[in-house]
Amino acid sequence: MQNFAIARSARRLRLAVLVAIGLIVAVYLLARFGLDVGPVRVESREVVDGWVGRALVDATLALFVVALIRLAQMLGAVADGPLFGPRVTKAFRGFAFWLFLAMLVEVAAGPVSAIAKTVSAGGGRTAMAFELRDLLVLAGALFLFLLARMLEQARAIEAELEEIV
């Protein structure tokens, strides 16, 4: 059964996600190339210095954009068809996967770079900081996998109910 209010909301959210992707990429490009927009200057902060830090920011952003594209695909599937259809659950699982991967790269970048610096310097001490925010973000991304599994179960229940009727 298609709920038109949900379909309309999904279309609007999909448009908002697509606009957000465009804005994120535009701001990133401004920061990456150090371009000024009138009195505004956009800069980026890397956890790791040098080309490795820029590569980590590039990779994290690319993974995050892929996650948002999967989210837009899921919202399009919600707008076009059944709420718990295979397209919806597959796209949502893809969104959860790419978001988790982006957050894992973001969280692991600092500690991995600190260890790499210590090893390349021939040993010594290194300080690694973990923030509760990082663990919460990873936990939230993992929760999305559970939610995707719940959507698959809801699809199976919906299919059983349609067979009964």
Side-chain angles (χ1 to χ4, degrees):
M1 179 177 166
Q2 180 71 2
N3 185 323
F4 295 108
I6 291 176
R8 185 177 58 240
S9 294
R11 282 188 197 93
R12 289 178 181 165
L13 281 172
R14 181 176 183 270
L15 181 61
V17 168
L18 293 174
V19 169
I21 291 170
L23 289 173
I24 289 168
V25 170
V27 168
Y28 169 75
L29 291 174
L30 288 173
R32 183 78 161 99
F33 297 111
L35 302 174
D36 293 332
V37 182
V40 176
R41 177 162 175 82
V42 181
E43 296 178 356
S44 67
R45 177 187 63 87
E46 290 98 18
V47 176
V48 182
D49 296 329
W51 69 270
V52 174
R54 288 189 299 277
L56 285 170
V57 170
D58 294 348
T60 303
L61 182 79
L63 293 169
F64 185 63
V65 167
V66 170
L68 290 177
I69 289 169
R70 295 295 290 173
L71 179 62
Q73 289 172 344
M74 184 206 76
L75 291 168
V78 167
D80 293 342
L83 295 178
F84 305 114
R87 282 182 50 215
V88 173
T89 56
K90 182 179 178 186
F92 188 72
R93 183 175 282 196
F95 165 67
F97 171 76
W98 290 104
L99 182 65
F100 176 75
L101 205 56
M103 296 302 100
L104 187 62
V105 168
E106 174 69 22
V107 169
V112 168
S113 68
I115 292 169
K117 282 181 184 178
T118 302
V119 169
S120 68
R125 297 181 132 216
T126 186
M128 294 188 298
F130 292 98
E131 295 183 20
L132 181 60
R133 174 189 62 92
D134 295 337
L135 295 176
L136 290 175
V137 166
L138 285 175
L142 285 173
F143 173 74
L144 293 177
F145 280 111
L146 175 63
L147 194 56
R149 180 69 182 124
M150 290 168 58
L151 283 174
E152 289 173 350
Q153 187 65 33
R155 178 176 46 114
I157 291 170
E158 183 182 54
E160 286 178 20
L161 290 175
E162 286 177 356
E163 288 178 8
I164 293 172
V165 175

